[in-house]
Amino acid sequence: MATAPGSGSHGPMASPRVLRTQVGIIGAGPAGLLLARLLSRRGVDSVVVENRSRAYVEARVRAGVLEHATVELLEEAGVGERLHSEGLRHDGVHLQWPGERHRLDFVDLCGRSVWVYGQTEVVKDLIAARLAAGEPLLFDVRDTAVHDVTGDRPRITWTDADGTATELHCDAVAGCDGFHGVSRHAVPAGVRRTWERTYPYAWLGILADVAPSTDELIYAWHPDGFALHSLRSPTVSRLYVQVDPDERIEDWPDERIWEALARRLATPGWTLRAGPVREKGITPMRSVVTEPMRHGRLFLAGDSAHIVPPTGAKGLNLAAADAWLLAEALAAALVDGDERLLDGYGERALRRVWRATHFSWWMTSMLHPATGPGADAFDRELQLAQLRYVTSSRAAAASLAENYTGLALDR
Ligand code: APR
Ligand code: PHB
């Protein structure tokens, strides 16, 4: 982070502190942090600004399944060590509906696995690596704003944690500030196009201090609603139940959650172990895609441009794929002076985004029955027919496995 000429005093009433870097990155989630790391490995400087505290960002419980290519990327970024020692390789998943549980063997079906390693851990590793390298990562900033993205000298402004107004001049701005960030809004409404699907259900998720009752994830269809048994470690389980989107967490005491999980996940000869709930929350389910992902010198990556429902475990992986595509493109432009990859960034990223959007919608549609009075019996039979097909046809199972474990990054 260089200080540009003209900077100097920066008291409350003084002109802003002026900094200069090659890529200004807004947001220290997986997209922003991984992008910063990959850029650094390619000799490109960046500054990352985050409006939350480090403690908050590191504690935010999110997804936990890493595609094969995401694992390789994290290795490339130099943060593969803890992932390999503490993460768990999973070679398949279980799909079930009342009375039947079937395992899909990913390695057999498509030659790839996934890794279970919490997004919080990925974020902690990336933050630690960035700070250890002495590279700029500023937490607790306020009033982040993006300026002049259609010119050659885009800027990001913010107020630092200590109240200093700061202006960052850069060659490119990466909007990695998630769904509620400011970057997306720097693309004028007349240029921006949004596709959206809101699903009529939500997930109530818990993190529990109890050994997982399964060695691989269980995705369960049940007439009461979907349930998922996931995990974080040999002593921590992560579980979800489908609920109505307007459900209140106060109405779900722990016993009610465990009871719903036990009923929906039940299968002959298997029992669910319950334990203390450390964390719980309700997540709405939606798909959102925004275009373009590039506007002038502003590039969107991750949740700032697209959201998927969690069923296919794609959110974190899409953020990582965007970060890689953007790092390659920015390095080609800023190191080699070749702008072609930057010109193609949006189109390449969106091709993958729409594939994952389809897969997430498909998994979601197959596994979540309408519940309550008036539930569509026809839809339920279609869901069960699809589940039977996916667990009995090698071609159908291979398609799920290929999408779940993820496409190669350059596809
Ligand atoms: N200024 C600075 N930082 C901001 C601002 C802002 N105005 N607005 C938001 N942020 C920060 C958020 O606090 C967050 O840390 O940007 C970061 C965005 O991170 P994520 O929401 O984790 O998004 P992304 O990095 O794209 O990762 C996507 O996260 O939401 C999950 O399931 C999703 O797994 C996927 C992944
Ligand atoms: C999780 O472990 O949080 C998880 C796993 C699989 C999903 C979604 C979330 O599809």
Side-chain angles (χ1 to χ4, degrees), residues 265-301:
L265 288 165
T267 213
W270 179 87
T271 37
L272 176 68
R273 261 189 300 266
V277 173
R278 198 199 298 175
E279 208 28 270
K280 61 179 163 182
I282 295 181
T283 316
M285 308 267 285
R286 64 188 152 214
S287 300
V288 180
V289 181
T290 330
E291 269 191 46
M293 284 175 69
R294 172 194 190 161
H295 182 63
R297 309 296 289 175
L298 168 70
F299 301 87
L300 302 180

Side-chain angles (χ1 to χ4, degrees), residues 18 62 82 91 108 112 134 201 241 250 258 284 331 345 387:
V18 178
R62 294 267 182 87
R82 206 161 65 92
D91 292 341
D108 174 47
R112 290 195 297 270
Y201 27 76
V241 282
E250 302 78 58
W258 284 117
Y345 166 70
L387 279 163

Side-chain angles (χ1 to χ4, degrees), residues 205-230:
I206 61 168
L207 198 63
D209 286 314
V210 58
S213 307
T214 178
D215 51 351
E216 288 180 332
L217 272 60
I218 307 169
Y219 287 84
W221 184 100
H222 189 278
D224 289 357
F226 169 74
L228 170 61
H229 191 333
S230 180

Side-chain angles (χ1 to χ4, degrees), residues 27 29-31 50-52 60 62 119 144 176-178 181 302-303 315-316:
E50 163 63 49
N51 65 354
R52 300 285 193 164
R60 199 165 36 191
R62 294 267 182 87
Q119 181 169 320
T144 322
C176 303
D177 46 353
D303 274 17
L316 169 58

Side-chain angles (χ1 to χ4, degrees), residues 237-371:
S237 298
R238 177 87 172 135
L239 301 110
Y240 300 91
V241 282
Q242 172 187 342
V243 296
D244 284 339
D246 50 7
E247 202 77 44
R248 294 170 346 135
I249 196 77
E250 302 78 58
D251 295 332
W252 284 82
D254 298 354
E255 311 77 65
R256 183 178 176 199
I257 301 173
W258 284 117
E259 192 270 325
L261 283 165
R263 192 154 17 91
R264 297 182 195 187
L265 288 165
T267 213
W270 179 87
T271 37
L272 176 68
R273 261 189 300 266
V277 173
R278 198 199 298 175
E279 208 28 270
K280 61 179 163 182
I282 295 181
T283 316
M285 308 267 285
R286 64 188 152 214
S287 300
V288 180
V289 181
T290 330
E291 269 191 46
M293 284 175 69
R294 172 194 190 161
H295 182 63
R297 309 296 289 175
L298 168 70
F299 301 87
L300 302 180
D303 274 17
S304 69
H306 41 76
I307 300 282
V308 285
T311 326
K314 287 287 160 242
L316 169 58
N317 294 294
L318 276 182
D322 286 356
W324 178 77
L325 284 172
L326 189 51
E328 293 282 290
L330 285 168
L334 299 173
V335 179
D336 307 325
D338 181 350
E339 296 256 335
R340 281 175 301 177
L341 281 180
L342 267 191
D343 293 339
Y345 166 70
E347 202 186 315
R348 280 181 90 196
L350 280 163
R351 218 176 320 149
R352 189 183 185 87
V353 166
W354 276 113
R355 173 88 297 282
T357 298
H358 176 269
F359 177 66
S360 306
W361 162 85
W362 176 79
M363 282 279 280
T364 300
S365 310
M366 175 171 71
L367 286 161
H368 295 77
T371 56

Side-chain angles (χ1 to χ4, degrees), residues 169-186:
H169 294 203
C170 28
D171 298 313
V173 172
C176 303
D177 46 353
F179 192 59
H180 302 288
V182 291
S183 314
R184 188 173 60 251
H185 305 287

